Amino acid sequence: MKHTPGPWRSDGEGVEGKAFDGSRRWVTERIRGGTPGERGANARLIAAAPEMLEALKAILPEAGKCFSDSDT
């Protein structure tokens, strides 16, 4: 699956990231709908997504132990 890898950055009401094809282009997406504050919050959340994904991958082995069959 192709995607726009991080780092992404929020410019207030939008998100920018490097193009997935490795070029020097930047991809910009504006957040639509909601209040300016909501758009800004959503843009910051989206911009943080690549870092959050990596953090979740890092803790997955330990988190899986919390739900093992031996606990039931």
Side-chain angles (χ1 to χ4, degrees), residues 6-54:
W8 297 348
R9 63 182 180 215
S10 168
D11 68 358
E13 291 188 18
V15 180
E16 296 179 332
K18 289 186 179 180
F20 65 82
D21 61 7
S23 69
R24 293 183 174 209
R25 295 183 305 119
W26 281 88
V27 175
T28 302
E29 182 63 36
R30 307 281 1 109
I31 307 300
R32 296 178 182 89
T35 67
E38 291 168 335
R39 289 191 297 270
N42 287 333
R44 289 187 300 276
L45 179 63
I46 293 167
E51 293 170 7
M52 291 190 299
L53 176 60
E54 291 307 312

